Amino acid sequence: MSFRRRLLLIMLAVMAVAQLVAAIATLGTIHRDVMQKGGRELEVGLGVMRQLLDERGKQLRDSVGILTSDFGFKSAIASQDQGTLASVLANHGERVGADMVLLAAPDGTIVASSHHAPGTPMPFPRLWRQVRQAGEATGVVLQDQRPYQFVMLPVRAPNLIGWVGMGFLLDTPLADEMARLTRLQVSFLVSGAEQTSGAPGDALDDAAGDISGGMKGYVAGALAQVPPTAVSALRADLARGEYLHHSGVDSRLDALVLASPLMISKSASDTGRGQVYAVVEHPRADLLAVFQALGWRLAAIFAVTLALTALVAAFSARSMSRPLIRLAQVAQRIGRGERITEVPTDSGGEIGLLGRTLVAMQSDIESRERQQREQARRDQLTGLANRHSAQQDIAEAVAAGQPLTLLRLSICGFRHINDTFGYAVGDQALRRLAKRLATYPAPVRHAYRLGGDEFLLLVDSAVVDAHWLTSLREGLAQPIELEQSPLRLQLVYGEVNFPAHGRSAPLLLRRAEVAMDMAKQQRLGYLRYVEGQDEKRLREMTLVRDLQLAAERGQLSMVYQPKIAAADGALVELEALMRWQHPELGFIPPDEFITLAESAGLISQLTGWMLTTVCRQLAVWEAEEGLCLAVAVNLSAQDVIDPGLPQRLDQALATHGLDPARLGLEVTESAIISDPEISRRVLAELSRRGASTAIDDFGTGYSSLAQLKRLAVRQLKIDKSFILKLEQQSDDRIIVHSTIELGHNLGLEVVAEGVETDAARALLVELGCDYLQGYGISRPLPAAAVAEWIAAYPPGVRQPLRATPESTP
């Protein structure tokens, strides 16, 4: 869409919105004023209506007063002439237009009445209480669910001899008369639910009854002409208190409504609750007639204004768009990188200022771009060039064929510095080190911060001189003064050379990182990249990636190596060992992939698969071969400190219906040392559940005797490094003998693994070892070959189930 058209549409839209807002605001104000005026008229009309009722009440009182003063009427009361009394009441009521008359004895008993039987008690209790308290009463009463304006006065001669009451029915003619006086629609409504403060639920129930049962109660006036359902709904609204204190629009009646409850006294025959309302209505169509006429006038004004605005907007858009279009074309040329010296526009004012600003903006853009490029190549904390800059500089040097050396260095224990001294001190240390690197003389070309605590030096040399490197390391190792305290940074270096170690910037940077990581692992401080180290890293990444799906792809398997009793050679247990046959890399040693699984957080997944596989195999051997065997599995350091291990073990055993004694657990000393307290709690929990636990590779770790004493274990397994040359090495015999005695003194069984010769086996029996395991007895066997080996093994099979060991405190 062109600028001119957009400008035209915007101007028209602004005008239209302004007109609409003004029209809506005006109509809304008028509508609100009309409704408020209607509400005030309703209040005035309701007040007039109540005054008319009061006047009628006074007239009725005067009429009743004339009757109570009549001597003949008093004489008839004194004579108790029922016929005369009834005739006098009827005649007098007819003269004054009363619809209900009654005469009551001083105690309230009906003597004569147009609606009540003689001898019955006073039918209007509330009115009767008012009469006794005030001596007379005026109000509205309900008789047979019909409202009457009623007056009751005493008859005295001179003492009280009776009570006379007369009432006018609040009917449609009365409502029509009041409507003519107030110019509103007037109605009298009897609701089946009296508005009370104590039982709103009952009121709603009665209201619901009004709606479901049609028109319940009495209706007189304008409401008598509307559908019964609308009247019932109005009763429900009145029961909830609506329309009683302020006017509201009732869409069912299409009118503004205001109601006023009238004080009532019910007849005893009206057993239900009830309330009488005086209701005034103002038809909404009458109220809004002026409003609708004004709306049509505003619509016509809006249409004329829109047409005139469209003409003005079209002319304005055309005159304004021409210079702006030229400026837009100039801006596009500037965006393409063209250099503009003048803007082709003859407009002055703001348009001319905009043109001159576009020309001046070019210099600002160029300056800002240079600044952003510089910031993109700089580390914000240290001011050194960043990784992106390093990659570009290395790539340029490689492309030019210039020999170079990369020294990648990292601060050992930098996280400990942050945790101990705070991040502010850590940042200060990074800035001080960066300052030293930036000021280092040739042959250092550039210094970079790659991120975190890692830095890079680009050296103009195919291989760095040993003396220069020593001088560099000594200089960077000098203490740094931080907050008046010296801090000596321990740095580790990795070196790569171009072209010897690679011909691309990413490859050289990665191999420098590999050399630095290897120096960290071997605690050498400095290491030059050696061919094959990168391949090892890639191999590890491949193994970690493929290990996640190795079990699902059927690449993992379990083999089982027998463990026999040293005394008689009987089979007591099998040790389950995991094997991984990679489809491309072939057999992967367990030590390699288990270590990678621990570092990558996959060991829990492997342990779960191992427990499920071993338990399933135990159930298969028992069901198909009749072999009730026990199997020991190896747990890693992360398994031993996992509080959820006992529950996982229970689930695996319960799934295959196995006793916990059928499964042994072996953990290494190093696994226990990683977190002794948690390890002790987990092993104790496993022991309480009936599993037998053993310390594997005992003698190769650094566990203390105090820890060993507290652990809930049953066996010690002497590492095979002490067994392989047991018959030749006297030192190994001493260590093995001492370990066996130590284990027995602690109440533990001792297992020797790595037994490969008869001589070693005989010597272990002589030293008192309990169990033996190794290639001299059997190599690890596939699950399918275990039953065949047991059948061919000379000593036969001994029952392997063990009693649950007592927990060690």
Side-chain angles (χ1 to χ4, degrees):
M1 184 182 293
S2 65
F3 172 77
R4 181 184 301 175
R5 183 171 298 177
R6 287 198 301 270
L7 182 60
L8 176 61
L9 291 178
I10 289 173
M11 295 177 69
L12 291 177
V14 170
M15 190 284 306
V17 170
Q19 291 287 335
L20 286 175
V21 170
I24 291 173
T26 302
L27 292 176
T29 302
I30 296 174
H31 184 274
R32 185 168 55 255
D33 291 344
V34 167
M35 299 304 289
Q36 290 177 353
K37 178 182 177 182
R40 290 192 297 269
E41 291 179 357
L42 289 180
E43 293 175 358
V44 172
L46 191 60
V48 171
M49 180 178 176
R50 296 185 71 90
Q51 290 180 1
L52 292 175
L53 288 176
D54 291 342
E55 291 297 327
R56 283 177 55 88
K58 292 178 181 179
Q59 295 175 6
L60 183 61
R61 184 184 180 283
D62 293 341
S63 299
V64 176
I66 294 174
L67 179 60
T68 59
S69 300
D70 186 76
F71 179 79
F73 181 63
K74 292 180 180 180
S75 300
I77 293 175
S79 64
Q80 294 296 314
D81 187 350
Q82 295 288 341
T84 302
L85 290 174
S87 175
V88 171
L89 286 174
N91 292 334
H92 193 79
E94 184 177 356
R95 285 197 302 272
V96 300
D99 298 297
M100 180 171 61
V101 294
L102 64 81
L103 173 66
D107 61 356
T109 304
I110 298 299
V111 177
S113 174
S114 60
H115 289 72
H116 309 92
T120 59
M122 175 62 65
F124 310 118
R126 183 181 298 176
L127 193 70
W128 176 239
R129 287 194 299 270
Q130 183 181 354
V131 165
R132 286 185 297 172
Q133 292 174 359
E136 62 181 47
T138 301
V140 177
V141 300
L142 277 179
Q143 175 64 41
D144 299 328
Q145 285 297 315
R146 295 164 66 84
Y148 294 84
Q149 188 176 14
F150 200 80
V151 173
M152 181 172 285
L153 295 177
V155 182
R156 301 182 185 276
N159 295 325
L160 180 67
I161 61 175
W163 300 90
V164 174
M166 290 188 183
F168 294 104
L169 178 64
L170 300 181
D171 54 5
T172 298
L174 177 60
D176 294 341
E177 180 182 353
M178 291 184 175
R180 287 191 297 273
L181 295 174
T182 60
R183 297 183 180 180
L184 298 172
Q185 294 183 357
V186 179
S187 304
F188 297 106
L189 179 68
V190 177
S191 173
E194 184 178 16
Q195 183 184 3
T196 65
S197 60
D202 294 341
L204 292 176
D205 291 341
D206 289 340
D210 288 345
I211 296 174
S212 62
M215 187 170 68
K216 177 182 178 182
Y218 175 84
V219 181
L223 288 176
Q225 308 300 321
V226 303
T229 54
V231 177
S232 298
L234 178 61
R235 286 196 180 98
D237 293 338
L238 292 173
R240 289 191 292 266
E242 299 181 19
Y243 312 131
L244 297 182
H245 305 290
H246 56 84
S247 58
V249 177
D250 194 320
S251 59
R252 298 176 296 268
L253 303 177
D254 197 25
L256 200 64
V257 179
L258 183 63
S260 175
L262 303 177
M263 185 64 68
I264 66 165
S265 178
K266 297 182 297 180
S267 171
S269 62
D270 296 326
T271 56
R273 293 179 301 167
Q275 178 68 321
V276 179
Y277 297 95
V279 182
V280 291
E281 305 171 57
H282 203 316
R284 190 159 49 177
D286 296 343
L287 285 172
L288 299 180
V290 176
F291 174 79
Q292 292 174 350
L294 181 60
W296 285 110
R297 293 195 198 98
L298 288 176
I301 294 172
F302 175 77
V304 173
T305 305
L306 183 62
L308 294 176
T309 304
L311 295 175
V312 175
F315 176 78
S316 300
R318 181 179 180 184
S319 60
M320 293 174 61
S321 62
R322 289 180 178 176
L324 292 178
I325 291 173
R326 288 197 292 267
L327 290 178
Q329 294 171 349
V330 169
Q332 292 174 354
R333 294 172 59 191
I334 293 176
R336 291 194 295 265
E338 297 183 26
R339 183 68 180 176
I340 304 298
T341 57
E342 292 183 0
V343 177
T345 177
D346 53 358
S347 300
E350 289 80 4
I351 300 297
L353 176 62
L354 180 58
R356 294 187 294 272
T357 303
L358 284 176
V359 175
M361 186 179 64
Q362 293 181 109
S363 300
D364 296 337
I365 292 175
E366 293 173 356
S367 176
R368 187 164 54 253
E369 286 180 348
R370 285 194 300 270
Q371 183 180 1
Q372 290 177 349
R373 285 195 297 268
E374 184 66 20
Q375 290 179 350
R377 293 171 58 89
R378 291 286 172 185
D379 177 61
Q380 298 300 313
L381 176 64
T382 63
L384 294 179
N386 58 15
R387 180 188 294 269
H388 177 68
S389 180
Q391 290 176 338
Q392 288 185 341
D393 293 346
I394 296 170
E396 291 174 0
V398 169
Q402 302 172 357
L404 57 87
T405 294
L406 299 181
L407 284 177
R408 188 160 182 164
L409 57 149
S410 175
I411 302 175
C412 295
F414 182 70
R415 180 176 180 181
H416 178 70
I417 295 176
N418 281 333
D419 294 340
T420 304
F421 302 103
Y423 286 94
V425 174
D427 291 345
Q428 191 175 358
L430 292 175
R431 285 192 290 266
R432 294 288 182 86
L433 178 59
K435 185 176 181 181
R436 289 184 179 181
L437 294 174
T439 58
Y440 226 85
V444 174
R445 185 196 302 180
H446 285 300
Y448 309 87
R449 185 192 178 202
L450 301 182
D453 61 346
E454 293 189 11
F455 295 84
L456 182 72
L457 290 178
L458 176 59
V459 183
D460 287 326
S461 176
V463 179
V464 296
D465 180 72
H467 295 290
W468 179 85
L469 180 61
T470 301
S471 174
L472 172 69
R473 295 179 63 184
E474 291 176 352
L476 295 179
Q478 294 298 314
I480 297 175
E481 292 293 333
L482 296 176
E483 298 182 357
Q484 299 181 352
S485 298
L487 179 64
R488 188 183 297 273
L489 300 178
Q490 295 182 358
L491 303 177
V492 61
Y493 301 77
E495 176 187 343
V496 294
N497 311 115
F498 169 75
H501 296 144
R503 294 183 175 274
S504 68
L507 180 60
L508 290 171
L509 284 171
R510 186 176 74 243
R511 290 183 171 178
E513 181 181 13
V514 170
M516 183 186 69
D517 290 343
M518 295 294 293
K520 280 185 179 180
Q521 295 174 12
Q522 300 176 20
R523 301 186 178 183
L524 297 176
Y526 163 80
L527 188 65
R528 185 169 180 265
Y529 177 77
V530 178
E531 292 294 336
Q533 290 177 341
D534 194 25
E535 287 73 9
K536 180 182 178 182
R537 173 67 65 87
L538 294 176
R539 171 185 170 89
E540 291 176 350
M541 294 174 61
T542 301
L543 292 179
V544 170
R545 180 197 64 199
D546 295 344
L547 186 58
Q548 302 180 47
L549 299 176
E552 297 180 10
R553 294 171 177 173
Q555 299 172 10
L556 296 180
S557 62
M558 300 300 297
V559 295
Y560 303 88
Q561 187 175 33
K563 181 194 303 182
I564 65 171
D568 57 8
L571 174 66
V572 294
E573 192 177 53
L574 301 170
E575 181 180 1
L577 303 171
M578 190 179 297
R579 296 291 184 261
W580 183 16
Q581 188 68 28
H582 194 279
E584 298 175 358
L585 303 178
F587 175 74
I588 310 299
D591 292 344
E592 181 179 4
F593 73 79
I594 292 297
T595 302
L596 292 175
E598 289 180 333
S599 62
L602 301 175
I603 196 65
S604 178
Q605 176 182 340
L606 291 183
T607 301
W609 177 86
M610 176 186 65
L611 291 175
T612 301
T613 303
V614 170
C615 291
R616 181 171 61 247
Q617 187 59 53
L618 284 171
V620 169
W621 278 331
E622 185 173 0
E624 298 181 0
E625 306 290 344
L627 298 175
C628 186
L629 302 175
V631 174
V633 296
N634 292 279
L635 300 178
S636 74
Q638 295 181 14
D639 291 326
V640 178
I641 61 175
D642 180 9
L645 178 63
Q647 288 75 17
R648 294 167 61 193
L649 183 63
D650 286 346
Q651 183 178 1
L653 292 170
T655 301
H656 298 90
L658 299 177
D659 188 273
R662 301 277 299 277
L663 197 62
L665 307 174
E666 296 185 3
V667 296
T668 61
E669 284 184 279
S670 59
I672 297 173
I673 293 172
S674 64
D675 196 325
E677 187 60 31
I678 296 181
S679 301
R680 186 183 68 81
R681 290 201 301 266
V682 173
L683 291 177
E685 180 64 25
L686 293 172
S687 179
R688 281 194 295 269
R689 294 170 185 259
S692 175
T693 56
I695 295 182
D696 198 7
D697 299 337
F698 185 77
T700 61
Y702 303 96
S703 61
S704 66
L705 296 180
Q707 290 291 345
L708 182 62
K709 179 181 177 181
R710 298 174 60 200
L711 293 175
V713 298
R714 188 171 183 267
Q715 293 180 350
L716 293 181
K717 294 190 70 174
I718 304 174
D719 187 68
K720 64 182 179 180
S721 61
F722 301 107
I723 306 298
L724 292 175
K725 297 182 180 180
L726 183 63
E727 61 272 24
Q728 292 93 13
Q729 300 286 345
S730 59
D731 292 341
D732 288 347
R733 286 198 299 274
I734 294 173
I735 293 174
V736 171
H737 185 209
S738 299
T739 303
I740 293 174
E741 288 188 349
L742 173 64
H744 288 168
N745 290 334
L746 291 174
L748 303 176
E749 298 174 338
V750 180
V751 182
E753 56 181 357
V755 179
E756 296 186 355
T757 64
D758 291 338
R761 178 174 178 175
L763 187 55
L764 288 167
V765 173
E766 180 182 344
L767 294 176
C769 187
D770 298 299
Y771 305 112
L772 307 177
Q773 181 180 348
Y775 283 5
I777 300 165
S778 174
R779 290 180 174 273
L781 303 170
V786 170
E788 181 180 351
W789 183 88
I790 292 175
Y793 185 62
V797 179
R798 193 176 72 181
Q799 178 71 336
L801 293 179
R802 300 177 295 264
T804 302
E806 296 181 357
S807 301
T808 302

